[in-house]
Amino acid sequence: MEALETADITQLLLESHELSTMINQSREVSDYLLAKRRMEADVEAQRLLALFEKKKEQYEDVQRFGKYHPDYDHISKEVRELKRTIELMDSVQAFKRAEDALDELLYQVSRTIADAVSETIKVPSNNPFLEVHSSGCGTGGSCGCSVKRPS
């Protein structure tokens, strides 16, 4: 029996490697890597991202004191405005779209694998709208909630 389990695990690992190769060769990964390179080559985006990191440190410092810090409103506003400026840049938007598409692909693969084992397995996602078929805690366990699947 032990040899059979080893063979199953070996086969599983081989097929998971094949799956990862297929994912790495997908359009989503290709688009993601291209968008990432373009964003990294965008001098203005990189300048603003570096500035954002510095402003974020300042923001974290004033957060310790909250509204009582004399620069709280000013720094909070600067961080929000800088973040919005960065988010509106074409290279950043293209990267975010590619990142979301890749995240959705990885979620769908994970969801397919999880559902093949049990429909009650939770699959984490960066997009709360992808996990729409859970309710309550999503486990159907001791809390008494039930997991409902769309038909």
Side-chain angles (χ1 to χ4, degrees):
M1 178 86 177
E2 197 170 307
L4 179 62
E5 289 177 20
T6 303
D8 290 343
I9 291 172
T10 301
Q11 186 63 31
L12 179 63
L13 291 174
L14 287 171
E15 290 187 24
S16 66
H17 179 70
E18 185 178 327
L19 176 61
S20 68
T21 299
M22 291 171 63
I23 291 170
N24 279 324
Q25 294 172 349
S26 71
R27 185 189 81 242
E28 289 83 356
V29 169
S30 177
D31 290 349
Y32 170 81
L33 292 173
L34 178 62
K36 184 178 180 198
R37 282 192 300 272
R38 286 183 176 161
M39 185 181 69
E40 289 171 345
D42 184 337
V43 176
E44 182 63 5
Q46 294 307 305
R47 184 186 73 77
L48 290 175
L49 287 167
L51 179 60
F52 181 76
E53 285 301 315
K54 289 178 185 173
K55 291 291 179 185
K56 196 168 75 169
E57 288 175 17
Q58 291 176 346
Y59 179 76
E60 289 169 1
D61 283 342
V62 300
Q63 279 297 100
R64 290 184 302 161
F65 300 101
K67 295 187 183 233
Y68 299 107
H69 192 285
D71 293 332
Y72 177 82
D73 290 330
H74 174 71
I75 291 186
S76 296
K77 182 180 177 186
E78 279 185 340
V79 167
R80 282 192 312 273
E81 288 174 352
L82 186 54
K83 182 176 186 252
R84 184 71 180 144
T85 300
I86 292 168
E87 289 173 344
L88 291 173
M89 298 185 77
D90 291 340
S91 65
V92 174
Q93 287 183 356
F95 174 73
K96 286 296 194 184
R97 281 191 304 273
E99 186 177 51
D100 289 345
L102 178 56
D103 186 57
E104 185 171 347
L105 170 67
L106 294 172
Y107 171 80
Q108 292 301 333
V109 169
S110 299
R111 179 82 266 153
T112 301
I113 293 168
D115 285 348
V117 175
S118 170
E119 290 187 354
T120 60
I121 294 175
K122 292 175 71 173
V123 176
S125 171
N126 292 326
N127 183 346
F129 299 109
L130 289 176
E131 192 64 32
V132 295
H133 56 271
S134 295
S135 64
C137 71
T139 64
S142 61
C143 71
C145 77
S146 63
V147 176
K148 299 192 183 209
R149 300 277 180 208
S151 302

